Amino acid sequence: MNWLKQQAANIAGTAEPIYGPSALQSVAKQAETTPYSEVTKDDLKWVAMDSTNVETQTFYFFADSGHMGMAQVLYSNVAGIRTTVHFNCKVYNLDGKPPHLWSSDALENYGFDESKTCFFADGVAVDLSEDGTSLTVKSAVNEASVVNVKITREAPGYQIGKNGTSYYGTDPAHPWGSMRHVFWPRCTTEGSIITKSGEIDFRGRSVFIHALQGMKPHHAAAKWNFLNFQTPSFSAIMMDYTTPPSYGTSVVNVGGLSTSTETIMAGANNSCTHDSLRKDPDWPEPGAITYKWHGATKEGKKVEAEVSGDLGERLDKVDVMAEVPGFVKNIIGGIAGTRPFIFQYGSTHLELKIRIEGEEERVEMGRAFGEATFISE
């Protein structure tokens, strides 16, 4: 009966019944015995589910020149009836004067290679190298943002637990939904994005995340926090989400700390707290946030890390329904109480503090890109 109720909510897009926290099999359970797994080439295959889902490959760029941007392939399916694919690109204006460059283009004639590790469409290609250590992203689908970049992995990729996946459903043997994240936390970038104002060299550092929400996004999560923090020596990544009341308003937090050669720690025993709030007509916008990582090295040494402080002026407030109306309106369906907004931040004044058992504390200033997303209460 619960499965039938969930399927009805999935098709109609309505809010789900209250199943309780036991209907979420968090990846944190896997992490109790396997904190994280190193990512292989097979882990980077597109799943391309034939039921309701949103699957993305997202690339976040910090250029040596100071520019900041992102590129994304977004694959979405509504109830196995309609599939749409978009290429999204954003280049942030950091001086607050002209608007940010934002392009979101529906793709035609899309598909995958035989191994499902490479994606193609008219005017777009995302190719994983044969050795699985680099990705090239090319897009000529929009003359306002012509993308040609190569991302080369430095630190090992990781996924939390055995497969990076949390499952939703009252019968753990037959889940009706899922949430998965795979991270390349520390990469180098070469290449550029050509805009109408000229070519921007994005040589520098980047992060790659492959994510799959195997259900309607507003059924899987009501709130999100994301941090990409890069210092000269370290990369700190955190992805934190809170489920709707249907699944007990449960929190799942995954992330890790890396150098250019190794994973210091990764796991699901992390936290994110909004320390101060700002007035906003839609949601309680955070003014200061504390991100904390807790784990251990492969050798069993205790690891504690923290990034905290005032976020400064936000880069952007994204009205998701307005900016990407096609796929979101199809999947969310205009449900009452669902108001997806993303607050985006960029900072160069925050510090990462890392304490490894038996070693002196390390403190480094870095560049941060963060998001606080609100979907529903």
Side-chain angles (χ1 to χ4, degrees), residues 273-277 286-291 308-309:
T273 56
H274 293 191
D275 300 324
S276 68
L277 301 176
I289 297 183
T290 297
Y291 307 88
S308 63

Side-chain angles (χ1 to χ4, degrees), residues 5 19 48 66 149 217 238 246 266 268 296 302-303 367:
K5 290 179 182 177
Y19 307 115
V149 294
M238 184 179 292
S246 304
K302 185 179 178 181
V303 179
R367 296 180 69 181

Side-chain angles (χ1 to χ4, degrees), residues 18-181:
I18 302 298
Y19 307 115
S22 63
L24 174 72
Q25 290 80 54
S26 170
V27 71
K29 188 67 177 176
Q30 296 182 37
E32 290 176 2
T33 54
T34 306
Y36 68 94
S37 305
E38 202 162 294
V39 171
T40 68
K41 191 174 179 181
D42 283 346
D43 294 318
L44 300 176
K45 291 181 177 181
W46 285 87
V47 179
M49 294 172 60
D50 58 7
S51 56
T52 298
N53 77 96
V54 175
E55 186 171 9
T56 56
Q57 287 195 343
T58 309
F59 306 85
Y60 299 93
F61 307 119
F62 285 140
D64 292 341
S65 63
H67 289 91
M68 189 164 66
M70 62 81 72
Q72 179 187 69
V73 175
L74 188 153
Y75 178 103
S76 63
N77 184 301
V78 181
I81 299 170
R82 184 185 176 203
T83 298
T84 58
V85 185
H86 286 71
F87 186 83
N88 301 322
C89 179
K90 191 165 189 174
V91 177
Y92 293 91
N93 165 51
L94 301 180
D95 63 13
K97 293 179 182 175
H100 307 296
L101 186 157
W102 166 250
S103 302
S104 181
D105 296 280
L107 302 182
E108 302 292 338
N109 299 314
Y110 51 83
F112 309 93
D113 69 347
E114 188 175 350
S115 69
K116 278 199 167 179
T117 58
C118 299
F119 169 86
F120 59 83
D122 289 349
V124 173
V126 179
D127 294 324
L128 181 66
S129 64
E130 187 63 33
D131 63 3
T133 62
S134 66
L135 282 151
T136 56
V137 183
K138 296 182 179 182
S139 172
V141 73
N142 191 318
E143 64 180 15
S145 54
V146 178
V147 179
N148 185 0
V149 294
K150 179 181 179 181
I151 296 92
T152 302
R153 177 175 56 77
E154 281 193 347
Y158 58 76
Q159 57 191 349
I160 304 309
K162 296 177 180 178
N163 61 12
T165 307
S166 294
Y167 296 98
Y168 296 72
T170 50
D171 181 357
H174 301 93
W176 58 55
S178 63
M179 180 80 79
R180 178 174 185 251
H181 290 91

